[in-house]
């Protein structure tokens, strides 16, 4: 059984402002700082990206999306790399439903 402190909605009356603030605090708890990667991981990511663009196979890319100050969330999309923009350091991932530009400096993980 949870206490009233852990679950304030177990109380009888909750103002909408209190509920909104509580939900916002819970969302803020999910935010993470930008993970740091070593050079070997970055080289591996670049190789997989080039290989996906060349061989036309799908990969799953995870990247850090900034939200508040130094914290953000990790987003994931799958698809084929269709374009590598070296000037702006970003890639274009295309799948059946959408296309997404992703900044290469914010990529945290790639799975084949």
């Amino acid at each position: 059984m949870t206490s009233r402190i852990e679950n304030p909605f177990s109380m009888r009356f909750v103002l909408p402002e209190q509920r909104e603030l509580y939900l916002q605090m819970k969302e803020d708890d999910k935010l993470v700082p930008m993970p740091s990667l070593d050079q070997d991981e970055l080289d591996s990511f670049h190789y997989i990206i080039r290989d996906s663009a060349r061989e036309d196979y799908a990969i799953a890319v995870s990247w850090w999306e900034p939200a508040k100050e130094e914290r953000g969330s990790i987003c994931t999309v799958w698809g084929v790399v269709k374009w590598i923009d070296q000037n702006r350091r970003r890639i274009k991932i295309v799948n059946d439903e959408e296309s997404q530009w992703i900044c290469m400096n914010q990529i945290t993980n790639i799975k084949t």
Side-chain angles (χ1 to χ4, degrees):
M1 187 166 146
T2 62
S3 70
R4 288 183 183 226
I5 294 173
E6 292 175 8
N7 188 0
F9 300 119
S10 64
M11 294 183 281
R12 188 168 183 118
F13 297 106
V14 177
L15 295 174
E17 297 84 16
Q18 292 172 323
R19 181 179 186 279
E20 186 65 34
L21 181 62
Y22 176 77
L23 293 175
Q24 184 63 40
M25 286 173 35
K26 286 297 183 186
E27 285 296 317
D28 290 347
D29 288 344
K30 295 178 186 177
L31 300 178
V32 295
M34 172 72 173
S36 61
L37 303 171
D38 60 358
Q39 191 60 38
D40 291 339
E41 288 178 307
L42 294 174
D43 292 341
S44 171
F45 293 167
H46 294 156
Y47 177 78
I48 293 171
I49 289 169
R50 282 193 314 264
D51 201 37
S52 172
R54 202 176 303 140
E55 300 296 327
D56 201 39
Y57 67 86
I59 57 175
V61 179
S62 298
W63 73 96
W64 182 77
E65 186 73 33
K68 286 189 173 182
E69 300 167 5
E70 300 279 325
R71 301 174 62 86
S73 60
I74 303 292
C75 303
T76 303
V77 69
W78 68 272
V80 178
V81 177
K82 290 295 184 182
W83 188 263
I84 301 173
D85 186 354
Q86 293 181 354
N87 293 331
R88 292 187 175 173
R89 296 196 40 79
R90 62 185 185 161
I91 59 174
K92 185 175 188 177
I93 303 285
V94 178
N95 61 25
D96 297 339
E97 301 163 357
E98 65 180 328
S99 65
Q100 177 84 32
W101 283 101
I102 301 171
C103 181
M104 293 178 72
N105 297 333
Q106 295 177 339
I107 293 176
T108 60
N109 195 10
I110 296 180
K111 295 180 183 176
T112 56

